[in-house]
Amino acid sequence: QVQLLESGGGLVQAGGSLRLSCAASESPYAMGWFRQAPGKEREFVAAIKWSSGIRSYSDSVSGRFTISKDNAKNTVYLQMNTLKTEDTAIYFCAYGTRFFSGVPSASKFGSWGQGTQVAVSS
């Protein structure tokens, strides 16, 4: 069973920045971030393929969030800039071993982090 350890998150004012990190115990095919706001379904945020470095983003965060990786540490990062109140959610790191193209569904990821709260105040 892959172990994922998330860090980062917290409370920030709108327009501010936060960085999330997630370290995996094994090298993946891809890693990603999903989020779930109260009363809403979990939604895709960003993903990165480990070998190619190909990135994908949801339309709602494209241009504001950047996903990156450190292969040597099996760690994925999510740099979140120009945060908006609607970015408030629990953010989950996701570990994937299955091929995908374009924007991946949650089913492409088999292991999940414990979640970290991001709260953006107005």
Side-chain angles (χ1 to χ4, degrees):
Q1 183 72 18
V2 172
Q3 302 298 314
L4 300 173
L5 183 61
E6 294 185 34
S7 61
L11 175 63
V12 65
Q13 287 190 327
S17 298
L18 285 173
R19 189 174 87 151
L20 307 181
S21 301
C22 177
S25 56
E26 301 175 21
S27 180
Y29 167 75
M31 291 186 73
W33 293 94
F34 287 71
R35 67 186 182 186
Q36 187 166 16
K40 295 187 177 181
E41 294 186 354
R42 189 172 298 191
E43 65 172 359
F44 170 76
V45 175
I48 186 166
K49 294 185 178 181
W50 224 243
S51 294
S52 65
I54 295 175
R55 297 169 171 85
S56 55
Y57 296 95
S58 68
D59 289 342
S60 61
V61 307
S62 182
R64 299 187 297 121
F65 290 10
T66 301
I67 190 169
S68 61
K69 61 182 175 71
D70 184 330
N71 284 30
K73 297 180 179 180
N74 286 337
T75 298
V76 65
Y77 305 96
L78 185 68
Q79 178 66 42
M80 304 182 292
N81 297 330
T82 319
L83 282 160
K84 304 176 180 180
T85 54
E86 52 262 44
D87 294 318
T88 295
I90 298 174
Y91 284 69
F92 296 91
C93 170
Y95 178 99
T97 58
R98 298 174 61 186
F99 171 82
F100 63 84
S101 61
V103 173
S105 65
S107 65
K108 297 296 186 180
F109 298 89
S111 298
W112 297 82
Q114 77 278 12
T116 186
Q117 178 71 53
V118 171
V120 184
S121 62
S122 58

